[in-house]
C-alpha cells in the first residue's frame, strides 16, 4: 500500500490543458460548461469498431490516459449504446459488421451524434470498398463529423468530438 | 523425413532458412504427420487460384521446424469441387484456416465442418472472392443466416451471447458461452467480423504499395507486418537491407513490443479491479508514444519500414533522449512490478485463472507470447535470428504455469529484455545508408517474410506478378493459432473472469479476419 501511495504522490497530476488549434480555445472548465449547457450532464460515448485494423482503437484508448483525462472533461465511454449520446465509429465498415453497426445506431436514443474516426472511417482508407468492405462509415449510417489520420492523434479525436457536440 | 522427400526440397527466398517442395495428396498428409512427430508447428495455410496459368488450384502449408521453415505445396485439378486432405487431425489449428480458404477460394478440405468462417452472408455461397475471375469491387447485399453453434445440454445449462460489439474500446467478435451458474462449460468463438478482403486488395496493388496495407493488417503489429512484408519482397528481389536500417527496424519492433506490453499490463490491472495499474501503465505507454513521435516522427510506426530499408533516420538528438527514457521506464516498471507482485487482491485474480497447461499448449500448437507463458519456448528472434538479432542474442522468456499471472510475468520480463536489446542497438549504431533500391521482382517468384512480433510470429507469403504487381499475398497473424487456446483456457472458470483471461492473451481480430 505504501508503495502504491508513494507512486501516486510522485506521479502527481499529469492532465494537460486541452490543446486546440483555434484561438478561442476552451479551457477544461469551458468545455465542461459547454457540455453541461447542451446535454445537462456528461457526454456518453459508445465506441464501435466496424472493421478497423485496431490502430484507431489504440488512440481512442489513449484518451483515457492521465494526460488526456477524457473523464475530467465530462466525457465518458459507456458499455451500452442505450446509454450513449454519441457513436464513435472506426474502420472501413466491413460487410460482416454492417448489420451490427446499423443495429447499434438504432439502439442509441435520439438525439444522437456519429463521429467517424480515422482515414478508413472517413473515406475507406487503404482498404477502400470491395466485396468485403463498404468503405467510409457514411456509406452505411449518417455521420456528423469525420476525423482523418492513420491513426488520428488523441487530440484530433477529442477536437472532433467537441466540434460534433458544439455543432461548430 | 525420408531421403527422397528431403532431396526434392528446394530453397525458397525468405529471411529465414526456408525450403519448398511439391507433393501429392498422400504426401501432403504424411509430411504434416512427420513434421508433427519431429516437434514442428503449422505456421499457416493458404491457397491460390492458378487456373489462368496452368489450370490448377494450389494449397500451401508452412511449417516451423528446428532447422527453419518448410513450405509444402499441393496441386489440385479444377474439378467440380477441388479438394485436399485436411491437416486438422494432426494440427487442430488448421481447421479454421481450411474453413477460411474454402470461403475465399472454394477449395475444400475433407473435413466435415463446413460452416462459413469468414463468409457471414456478405457474399453468396457460390461466389469465391479470391478466384481470379472474381472482380473484387463487386458488392452484394448482406444475407445473414443464423450460425449453428454447438449446443450444450443439461440441467440448468444456459447460453450467454457476447458481441460482436463489445463493451469496451476493442475489436468485434462473438463469444458464445454455455454456462451453469457462473461456471463456463464451453466457449465457442465466432470471428471474421472485421474481414476486409485484404488478400484480394493486395492483388490490386503494386509491390511497392503493398507495404501500406501490410502495416494495417493489425494496427498493434504494424512494424512486425511491414517488416515481414519488406523481408518477403527483399528475399524475392535479392535486396540486402543496409545494416543501419536493420538496426532501426529492430528498434522500432522492440518499441512496438514495449508499447503493447505496457498497454496490456495496465489493462490487466484494470480488469482485475486495480485502476491504479491502468493509470500508471497507460501513462508510461503515452510517454513511449511521444518518444516515438520525436525520434521516429510518428506515434505508431505504420509507414516506417519500407522494402529496401526504412523511411527516416533518427535525429542526432535521439540516442541520449532514448537512453534517458529507457532508464526512467525501467525504474517505473520495476517499481510497478513490486506493487503488482505484492498486491493480494490482484494476485488472487491472476493466479490459477485461465490455465493453459503445457501439454494442452503443445497439443493445440500454441505459439508466441501465450505459448511461452505455458512453457513452449518458441521465439523467432532466438531460434532463427535474422539481422540484427543474430548479434543481440535475445533471451528466451518463458513461464510454466500457463495462467494469467504467467502471461503477466512474461510481459514484465520481455519489457526488461526489450529495453536491454534497445540499449544494445543504440550502442552499436554505425553510420550508413538507411535505404537501398528494391528492384521489381520477376513474375512468379514466391517468398516468405517471418518476424517475431509482440504477439508471436507474423508471416507474409508474397508471390510476384508481372510489371511489379502482386500476384498473391497471404498474411498470417499468430492469433489464428492462439484464438482456439482461449476456448480451453476459460473452461471451468467463471464468466466474470473472461475479460481478464481474454486480455491476458490479447489476440488480434483484424489480423485474424484479414
Amino acid at each position: 500500500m505504501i508503495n502504491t501511495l508513494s507512486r501516486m504522490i510522485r506521479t502527481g497530476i499529469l492532465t494537460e490543458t486541452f490543446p486546440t488549434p483555434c484561438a478561442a480555445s476552451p479551457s477544461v472548465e469551458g468545455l465542461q460548461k459547454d457540455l453541461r449547457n447542451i446535454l445537462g450532464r456528461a457526454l456518453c460515448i459508445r465506441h464501435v469498431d466496424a472493421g478497423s485494423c485496431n490502430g484507431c482503437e489504440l488512440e481512442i484508448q489513449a484518451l483515457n490516459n492521465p494526460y488526456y483525462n477524457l473523464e475530467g472533461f465530462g466525457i465518458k465511454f459507456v458499455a451500452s449504446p442505450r446509454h450513449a449520446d454519441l457513436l464513435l465509429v472506426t474502420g472501413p465498415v466491413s460487410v460482416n459488421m454492417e448489420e451490427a453497426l446499423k443495429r447499434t445506431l438504432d439502439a442509441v436514443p435520439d438525439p444522437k451524434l456519429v463521429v467517424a474516426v480515422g482515414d478508413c472511417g472517413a473515406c475507406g482508407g487503404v482498404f477502400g470498398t470491395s466485396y468485403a468492405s463498404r468503405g467510409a462509415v457514411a456509406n452505411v449510417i449518417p455521420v456528423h463529423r469525420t476525423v482523418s489520420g492513420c491513426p488520428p492523434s488523441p487530440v484530433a479525436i477529442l477536437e472532433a468530438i467537441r466540434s460534433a457536440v458544439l455543432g461548430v | 523425413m525420408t531421403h527422397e522427400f528431403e532431396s526434392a526440397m528446394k530453397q525458397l527466398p525468405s529471411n529465414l532458412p526456408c525450403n519448398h517442395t511439391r507433393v501429392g495428396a498422400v504426401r501432403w498428409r504424411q509430411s504434416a504427420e512427420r513434421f508433427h512427430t519431429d516437434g514442428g508447428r503449422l505456421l499457416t495455410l493458404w491457397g491460390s487460384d492458378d487456373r489462368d496459368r496452368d489450370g490448377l488450384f494450389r494449397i500451401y502449408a508452412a511449417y516451423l521446424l528446428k532447422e527453419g521453415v518448410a513450405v509444402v505445396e499441393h496441386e489440385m485439378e479444377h474439378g467440380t469441387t477441388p479438394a485436399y486432405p485436411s491437416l486438422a487431425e494432426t494440427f487442430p489449428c488448421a481447421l479454421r484456416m481450411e474453413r477460411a480458404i474454402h470461403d475465399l477460394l472454394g477449395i475444400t478440405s475433407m473435413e466435415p465442418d463446413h460452416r462459413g468462417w469468414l463468409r457471414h452472408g456478405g457474399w453468396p455461397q457460390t461466389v469465391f472472392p479470391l478466384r481470379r475471375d472474381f472482380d473484387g469491387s463487386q458488392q452484394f447485399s448482406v444475407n445473414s443466416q443464423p450460425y449453428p453453434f454447438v449446443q450444450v445440454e443439461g440441467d440448468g445449462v444456459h447460453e450467454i451471447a457476447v458481441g460482436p460489439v463489445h463493451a469496451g474500446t476493442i475489436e468485434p467478435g462473438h463469444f458464445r458461452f454455455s454456462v451453469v451458474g457462473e461456471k463456463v462449460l464451453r466457449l465457442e468463438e465466432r470471428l471474421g467480423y472485421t474481414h476486409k478482403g485484404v488478400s484480394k486488395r493486395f492483388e490490386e496493388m503494386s509491390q511497392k504499395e503493398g507495404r501500406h496495407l501490410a502495416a494495417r493488417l493489425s494496427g498493434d503489429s504494424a512494424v512486425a507486418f511491414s517488416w515481414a512484408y519488406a523481408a518477403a519482397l527483399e528475399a524475392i528481389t535479392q535486396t540486402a537491407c543496409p545494416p543501419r536500417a536493420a538496426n532501426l527496424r529492430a528498434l522500432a519492433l522492440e518499441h512496438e513490443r514495449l508499447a503493447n506490453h505496457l498497454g496490456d499490463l495496465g489493462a490487466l490491472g484494470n480488469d482485475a479491479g486495480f485502476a491504479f495499474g491502468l493509470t500508471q501503465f497507460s501513462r508510461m505507454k503515452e510517454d513511449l508514444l511521444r518518444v516515438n513521435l520525436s525520434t521516429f516522427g510518428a506515434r505508431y510506426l505504420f509507414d516506417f519500414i519500407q522494402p529496401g530499408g526504412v523511411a527516416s533516420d533518427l535525429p542526432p538528438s535521439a540516442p541520449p533522449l532514448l537512453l534517458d527514457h529507457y532508464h526512467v521506464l525501467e525504474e517505473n516498471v520495476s517499481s510497478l512490478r513490486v506493487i503488482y507482485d505484492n498486491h493480494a487482491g490482484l494476485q488472487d485474480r491472476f493466479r490459477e485463472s485461465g490455465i493453459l497447461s503445457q501439454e494442452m499448449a503443445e497439443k493445440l500448437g500454441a505459439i508466441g507470447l501465450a505459448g511461452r507463458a505455458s512453457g513452449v519456448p518458441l521465439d523467432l528472434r532466438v531460434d532463427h535470428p535474422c539481422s540484427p538479432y543474430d548479434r543481440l542474442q535475445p533471451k528466451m522468456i518463458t513461464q510454466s504455469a500457463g495462467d494469467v499471472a504467467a502471461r503477466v510475468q512474461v510481459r514484465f520480463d520481455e519489457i526488461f529484455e526489450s529495453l536491454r536489446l534497445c540499449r544494445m542497438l543504440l550502442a552499436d549504431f554505425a553510420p550508413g545508408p538507411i535505404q537501398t533500391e528494391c528492384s521489381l521482382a520477376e513474375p512468379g517468384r514466391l517468398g516468405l517474410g517471418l518476424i517475431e512480433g509482440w504477439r508471436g510470429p507474423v508471416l507474409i507469403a508474397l508471390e510476384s506478378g508481372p510489371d511489379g504487381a502482386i500476384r498473391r499475398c497471404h498474411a498470417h497473424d499468430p492469433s489464428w493459432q492462439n484464438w482456439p487456446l482461449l476456448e480451453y483456457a476459460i473452461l471451468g472458470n467463471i464468466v466474470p473472469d473472461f475479460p481478464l483471461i481474454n486480455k491476458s492473451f490479447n489476440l488480434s481480430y483484424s489480423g485474424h479476419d484479414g
Side-chain angles (χ1 to χ4, degrees):
Chain A
M1 196 62 200
I2 193 78
N3 278 339
T4 311
L5 289 173
S6 103
R7 170 69 37 194
M8 280 180 188
I9 292 162
R10 274 197 286 156
T11 307
I13 293 172
L14 301 169
T15 310
E16 296 169 337
T17 50
F18 182 32
T20 164
C22 60
S25 67
S27 59
V28 176
E29 294 77 21
L31 182 62
Q32 282 176 337
K33 209 170 134 201
D34 286 340
L35 290 174
R36 215 169 28 241
N37 285 341
I38 294 168
L39 302 163
R41 57 179 171 80
L43 172 70
C44 296
I45 299 180
R46 174 64 250 200
H47 158 258
V48 181
D49 176 340
S52 144
C53 78
N54 201 26
C56 291
E57 278 60 37
L58 299 176
E59 289 296 40
I60 294 172
Q61 286 163 8
L63 282 171
N64 276 324
N65 78 33
Y67 289 102
Y68 303 106
N69 187 20
L70 200 67
E71 291 210 7
F73 290 116
I75 303 174
K76 64 170 185 174
F77 285 95
V78 290
S80 166
R82 297 191 197 285
H83 305 155
D85 308 301
L86 184 149
L87 274 192
L88 200 57
V89 186
T90 58
V93 181
S94 68
V95 298
N96 291 349
M97 276 303 286
E98 187 179 359
E99 191 185 336
L101 176 62
K102 285 179 179 163
R103 284 210 213 168
T104 307
L105 182 71
D106 279 348
V108 179
D110 282 319
K112 51 194 160 195
L113 294 165
V114 177
V115 174
V117 178
D119 284 349
C120 298
C123 69
V126 70
F127 303 102
T129 53
S130 70
Y131 75 93
S133 162
R134 301 279 188 242
V137 176
N139 295 345
V140 177
I141 58 170
V143 169
H144 299 87
R145 284 286 180 285
T146 58
V147 44
S148 52
C150 187
S153 68
V155 172
I157 300 170
L158 194 52
E159 193 45 61
I161 293 170
R162 186 186 78 96
S163 85
V165 175
L166 302 184
V168 293
Chain B
M1 202 58 23
T2 62
H3 178 69
E4 187 193 346
F5 187 84
E6 274 169 353
S7 63
M9 286 216 152
K10 290 204 183 89
Q11 244 191 332
L12 193 73
S14 173
N15 61 326
L16 261 63
C18 185
N19 282 314
H20 173 222
T21 187
R22 286 199 182 90
V23 296
V26 177
R27 275 279 164 77
W28 170 256
R29 268 191 97 136
Q30 280 178 347
S31 57
E33 281 157 17
R34 184 59 197 252
F35 290 141
H36 184 258
T37 324
D38 292 348
R41 297 286 153 140
L42 177 68
L43 272 175
T44 187
L45 278 181
W46 77 97
S48 180
D49 172 10
D50 293 330
R51 287 172 303 159
D52 59 332
R53 205 157 59 187
D54 48 21
L56 299 171
F57 282 100
R58 288 189 168 76
I59 177 107
Y60 298 83
Y63 300 92
L64 183 64
L65 313 172
K66 283 184 193 74
E67 57 274 20
V69 174
V71 174
V72 181
E73 174 190 331
H74 170 54
E75 300 172 344
M76 275 157 281
E77 297 284 341
H78 174 226
T80 40
T81 41
Y84 58 95
S86 170
L87 301 182
E89 221 172 273
T90 322
F91 294 102
C93 62
L95 179 58
R96 288 177 179 180
M97 300 182 215
E98 290 171 1
R99 287 167 64 188
I101 289 170
H102 176 261
D103 289 345
L104 299 181
L105 264 174
I107 57 178
T108 320
S109 77
M110 296 152 194
E111 231 295 324
D113 190 348
H114 291 308
R115 293 175 296 170
W117 185 243
L118 299 180
R119 196 187 72 84
H120 290 192
W123 60 93
Q125 208 167 357
T126 47
V127 165
F128 301 108
L130 259 190
R131 290 195 173 182
R132 303 223 172 257
D133 46 11
F134 175 78
D135 168 15
S137 63
Q138 243 180 297
Q139 298 226 336
F140 305 92
S141 56
V142 177
N143 174 25
S144 62
Q145 284 130 10
Y147 183 82
F149 287 96
V150 175
Q151 305 276 313
V152 178
E153 289 176 353
D155 246 6
V157 178
H158 65 282
E159 283 189 351
I160 304 175
V162 179
V165 179
H166 292 156
T169 306
I170 49 167
E171 300 179 84
H174 185 97
F175 300 114
R176 186 65 60 97
F177 298 94
S178 297
V179 299
V180 61
E182 284 204 313
K183 197 169 137 189
V184 178
L185 298 177
R186 181 184 161 84
L187 161 64
E188 188 172 349
E189 297 155 357
R190 188 191 188 195
L191 303 172
Y193 288 92
T194 69
H195 177 68
K196 297 178 277 289
V198 295
S199 296
K200 194 73 179 178
R201 186 82 187 91
F202 268 121
E203 293 174 15
E204 296 161 1
M205 295 181 137
S206 71
Q207 293 161 14
K208 289 232 154 64
E209 292 168 330
R211 71 179 174 102
H212 297 294
L213 183 55
R216 287 158 182 84
L217 295 167
S218 175
D220 52 36
S221 302
V223 175
F225 270 113
S226 53
W227 191 350
Y229 180 83
L233 187 58
E234 286 160 10
I236 56 177
T237 55
Q238 292 170 315
T239 308
C241 170
R244 188 176 173 86
N247 273 4
L248 285 164
R249 286 176 176 184
L251 197 65
L253 186 69
E254 295 311 318
H255 274 220
E256 185 168 84
R257 193 179 320 277
L258 286 169
N260 279 296
H261 283 2
L262 290 172
D264 286 351
L265 286 172
L268 282 160
N270 197 50
D271 281 346
F274 194 44
F276 162 83
L278 178 63
T279 310
Q280 291 289 332
F281 279 107
S282 63
R283 170 213 164 198
M284 288 180 228
K285 181 175 177 180
E286 178 70 20
D287 287 339
L288 179 66
L289 297 178
R290 291 179 179 196
V291 165
N292 276 356
L293 184 62
S294 60
T295 53
F296 293 102
R299 288 163 61 87
Y300 287 97
L301 309 179
F302 279 84
D303 298 307
F304 181 67
I305 294 182
Q306 48 193 45
V310 293
S312 60
D313 208 338
L314 293 181
S317 60
L321 181 106
L322 286 171
L323 289 174
D324 278 353
H325 178 74
Y326 298 153
H327 176 76
V328 174
L329 181 59
E330 189 160 50
E331 189 271 326
N332 281 337
V333 176
S334 303
S335 75
L336 259 290
R337 186 179 205 171
V338 173
I339 292 172
Y340 267 37
D341 285 352
N342 293 321
H343 194 289
L346 208 54
Q347 291 305 320
D348 184 45
R349 293 288 303 280
F350 284 176
R351 291 196 195 163
E352 290 172 34
S353 297
I355 296 177
L356 178 75
S357 67
Q358 185 178 2
E359 188 197 346
M360 199 44 112
E362 292 280 2
K363 211 173 257 176
L364 294 172
I367 53 174
L369 184 150
R372 292 195 289 277
S374 292
V376 179
L378 283 178
D379 186 333
L380 292 180
R381 298 174 303 160
V382 180
D383 302 327
H384 305 286
C386 66
S387 169
Y389 286 103
D390 46 357
R391 203 157 36 76
L392 302 174
Q393 299 189 317
K395 254 195 337 230
M396 177 78 73
I397 311 283
T398 56
Q399 288 279 329
S400 54
D403 54 2
V404 173
R407 290 183 282 276
V408 166
Q409 291 305 330
V410 167
R411 284 179 169 93
F412 270 117
D413 285 332
E414 289 193 353
I415 285 177
F416 296 125
E417 180 61 6
S418 277
L419 286 172
R420 185 183 76 82
L421 300 178
C422 288
R423 288 193 180 106
M424 278 181 77
L425 283 164
L426 281 181
D428 187 19
F429 242 82
I434 56 158
Q435 176 67 250
T436 178
E437 183 60 27
C438 191
S439 56
L440 295 183
E442 287 167 36
R445 300 262 291 158
L446 175 67
L448 245 59
L450 267 148
I451 295 295
E452 185 80 21
W454 70 272
R455 201 178 263 124
V458 308
L459 176 147
I460 296 274
L462 182 68
E463 190 184 352
S464 52
D467 307 319
I470 295 172
R471 179 172 166 83
R472 176 86 175 87
C473 182
H474 171 71
H476 182 91
D477 189 277
S479 304
W480 278 101
Q481 273 85 354
N482 289 358
W483 271 119
L485 310 179
L486 184 61
E487 292 183 340
Y488 284 87
I490 185 68
L491 294 180
N493 287 262
I494 58 173
V495 178
D497 270 343
F498 178 72
L500 179 71
I501 296 167
N502 188 21
K503 192 74 208 175
S504 73
F505 283 90
N506 195 8
L507 302 170
S508 170
Y509 300 73
S510 180
H512 167 283
D513 298 347

